[in-house]
Amino acid sequence: MSRTLLVTGGAGFIGTNFVRYWMENYPDDRIVVLDALTYAGNPANMEELRNDSRFRFYPGRIEDFTVVEGIFRWERISHVLNFAAESHNDRSLMDPTGLISSNVTGVSILLECSRKYGAERMLHVSTDEVYGEIESGLFRETDPLEPRTPYSAGKASGELQVRAHQIAYGTKSLVTRGSNTFGPFQFPEKILPFFITRAMQDKMLPLYGDGNQVRDWIFVRDHCSGIATALLKGEIGQVYNVGGGNERPNIEVTKMVLQALSKPETLIKRIPDPRGASHDKRYALNTEKIEKLGWKPSATFEEALGKTVQWYVDHRFWWEEIVNSTRYRQFVKAFYGPYLGEDL
Ligand code: TYD
């Protein structure tokens, strides 16, 4: 039986990679994308899919009940994957209320429509940041949710909607918690694409604080295969960590970017940490639970970083359109202006 997937946030970074992953691996299925096309959702990400009869795109927000319900009615959705989210920590610290509608209300609407229209599965894509930081050891799925930024608190709130809905109504939902993801199509506000594109322009790389914060990096394709595994083989009502097992401090990642592009380390500019007390020092995930379903990440960090850098080298037109836009320039000025002076 072929499936019809609703992929929300399918024009964003992980969503657009997931759509490609799914179409390659499950060619008989249909994919319906709902995306608000905010600054990070980019129609250019879907350009090559436009003429594929298996693919359909609806512009709109997951927090718009009428739009979401209309899609469920028309498209006979069997599986829902929620990638739609306001996902930037620094933006969330500047505007802590703006993220609530998509990260909480939108999730609740997707759950309600999934239940009402009998979706076989609803998978909510969450993040390791809901756990808060961990000094040593690895987070397990049973650990408490102790988010420390407005963004991660928003994601945790969305997860709690999923949990309560599943218990109260038997909605066939589950959650994945991914670690820091990187790869093609990532909007240049997250550290990797931000630093890659800046280094390519010989601009300073603003490294927060001592640069010793540790993230557990996963290549986007591995993250997508983890989500696919959880969707097809995971148990309803369960949570699955999807981590790459590649722990690296920010300073090391920064130096690797510079090395890959043959740029000097003098481009690194250490700046006072704009996240202050809420800057999580370390995230790391135990992935035994999803590995029991047969999943394993396949890319090494070095390989995946090399592919990612190459993608940005080959797709200069893609990111130049973004970084030259007024909106993006305003963002960089607002966030980094006080530290970078004229080098914006
Ligand atoms: P980011 O990519 O924003 O992801 P997250 O906050 O979800 O982990 O940041 C990753 C790490 O990189 C985080 O410790 C903050 C740091 N960072 C910088 O040092 N400079 C930057 O310009 C950015 C965007 C991030």
Side-chain angles (χ1 to χ4, degrees):
M1 261 288 268
S2 66
R3 294 164 278 239
T4 300
L5 272 58
L6 172 60
V7 179
T8 67
F13 164 48
I14 308 178
T16 206
N17 278 282
F18 182 84
V19 169
R20 285 167 170 77
Y21 174 87
W22 197 271
M23 288 175 103
E24 276 167 40
N25 287 283
Y26 304 96
D28 295 336
D29 291 350
R30 291 181 66 242
I31 297 222
V32 176
V33 165
L34 170 64
D35 196 292
L37 300 179
T38 57
Y39 73 94
N42 184 347
N45 297 357
M46 296 176 300
E47 197 57 35
E48 69 196 59
L49 305 171
R50 242 183 14 176
N51 298 322
D52 193 313
S53 60
R54 298 171 298 162
F55 176 81
R56 187 164 294 178
F57 173 68
Y58 291 89
R61 298 183 161 272
I62 57 170
E63 55 267 39
D64 187 335
F65 201 103
T66 313
V67 168
V68 175
E69 186 165 40
I71 292 174
F72 273 83
R73 273 177 191 271
W74 282 105
E75 300 286 356
R76 298 185 178 277
I77 302 297
S78 63
H79 294 69
V80 180
L81 290 120
N82 182 34
F83 292 90
E86 296 295 339
S87 65
H88 193 224
N89 266 316
D90 298 311
R91 286 183 199 255
S92 90
L93 284 161
M94 275 206 175
D95 174 16
T97 56
L99 58 101
I100 302 293
S101 56
S102 61
N103 290 352
V104 188
T105 312
V107 177
S108 157
I109 289 173
L110 287 173
L111 288 162
E112 182 56 7
C113 288
S114 299
R115 179 188 68 79
K116 195 168 165 190
Y117 292 92
E120 281 172 42
R121 291 204 155 202
M122 186 281 185
L123 187 147
H124 176 61
V125 178
S126 191
T127 163
D128 59 2
E129 300 191 26
V130 296
Y131 294 117
E133 62 181 10
I134 188 167
E135 222 168 280
S136 59
L138 306 170
F139 284 121
R140 300 192 89 101
E141 289 85 349
T142 45
D143 286 340
L145 301 187
E146 292 177 335
R148 291 157 35 85
T149 68
Y151 157 64
S152 43
K155 290 298 287 187
S157 312
E159 277 198 31
L160 294 180
Q161 297 300 316
V162 179
R163 176 184 154 82
H165 230 271
Q166 203 273 316
I167 294 169
Y169 308 112
T171 310
K172 293 176 184 150
S173 53
L174 57 166
V175 169
T176 53
R177 293 185 185 138
S179 63
N180 277 65
T181 309
F182 67 103
F185 294 106
Q186 189 168 28
F187 190 83
E189 66 184 356
K190 298 294 173 75
I191 189 169
L192 270 168
F194 188 49
F195 282 8
I196 293 168
T197 54
R198 286 186 68 84
M200 286 176 72
Q201 300 168 91
D202 298 305
K203 291 183 172 180
M204 293 295 201
L205 313 185
L207 187 67
Y208 299 172
D210 58 13
N212 287 327
Q213 296 81 11
V214 172
R215 297 293 182 261
D216 172 4
W217 291 99
I218 185 168
F219 190 45
V220 66
R221 199 139 180 111
D222 283 332
H223 192 168
C224 290
S225 70
I227 291 167
T229 302
L231 182 74
L232 297 175
K233 298 189 191 159
E235 203 181 308
I236 299 298
Q238 292 294 311
V239 175
Y240 295 91
N241 285 344
V242 187
N246 292 301
E247 282 186 49
R248 294 279 192 291
N250 294 336
I251 178 69
E252 192 181 318
V253 170
T254 307
K255 287 183 179 170
M256 286 172 79
V257 166
L258 290 169
Q259 203 178 9
L261 289 164
S262 307
K263 298 286 181 181
E265 286 184 11
T266 47
L267 283 182
I268 299 173
K269 170 134 185 167
R270 290 176 190 269
I271 66 168
D273 193 339
R275 295 189 191 178
S278 76
H279 195 167
D280 293 331
K281 291 225 165 26
R282 176 174 173 265
Y283 306 131
L285 291 176
N286 175 306
T287 54
E288 281 168 14
K289 190 170 171 184
I290 192 163
E291 282 172 25
K292 285 199 185 115
L293 301 180
W295 175 83
K296 241 182 163 5
S298 63
T300 68
F301 184 65
E302 288 73 12
E303 246 168 44
L305 185 65
K307 278 189 194 167
T308 304
V309 168
Q310 194 56 45
W311 188 87
Y312 283 89
V313 169
D314 294 341
H315 293 78
R316 209 175 170 116
F317 63 92
W318 181 90
W319 60 263
E320 269 185 347
E321 198 175 338
I322 297 170
V323 304
N324 291 331
S325 69
T326 309
R327 192 157 57 164
Y328 184 84
R329 284 170 190 271
Q330 281 167 348
F331 150 74
V332 177
K333 192 165 179 195
F335 280 74
Y336 299 100
Y339 312 111
L340 295 178
E342 291 306 300
D343 189 36
L344 294 171

